[in-house]
Amino acid sequence: MPEKRNGKMMLTPEEKKTLLEMEPGLIDLEMELQRAKRAGMDVKDIEEEVKKAKTIRIGLLREYG
């Protein structure tokens, strides 16, 4: 749960660490989605969800980190 610092809601150090540590997993996931796409699988919906999650993750780090 975010904590309040300087009158603003901020991520706790643990939350920030978790969000930062997601980067390698997201890169791996994107690579696997590309492989699945090359194999002929329809991964468009999953790609959109991953893109949304990445955008939210970056926004949380920027605004609350």
Side-chain angles (χ1 to χ4, degrees):
M1 171 145 268
E3 57 187 32
K4 208 166 191 178
R5 283 184 276 166
N6 299 326
K8 296 180 182 178
M9 293 299 291
M10 301 297 285
L11 295 171
T12 64
E14 295 82 15
E15 291 167 332
K16 186 173 180 178
K17 181 178 183 249
T18 298
L19 289 170
L20 290 170
E21 288 176 346
M22 287 179 169
E23 184 71 19
L26 289 170
I27 291 169
D28 290 345
L29 177 56
E30 288 178 321
M31 290 173 56
E32 289 303 320
L33 287 172
Q34 291 305 313
R35 286 182 68 203
K37 193 186 303 186
R38 289 192 304 270
M41 295 174 68
D42 180 8
V43 295
K44 185 176 181 175
D45 291 342
I46 299 169
E47 286 178 313
E48 289 176 17
E49 290 299 318
V50 170
K51 183 178 179 181
K52 229 188 302 188
K54 286 177 63 176
T55 300
I56 291 169
R57 178 184 157 272
I58 291 167
L60 286 170
L61 286 167
R62 181 184 61 241
E63 296 296 328
Y64 296 97

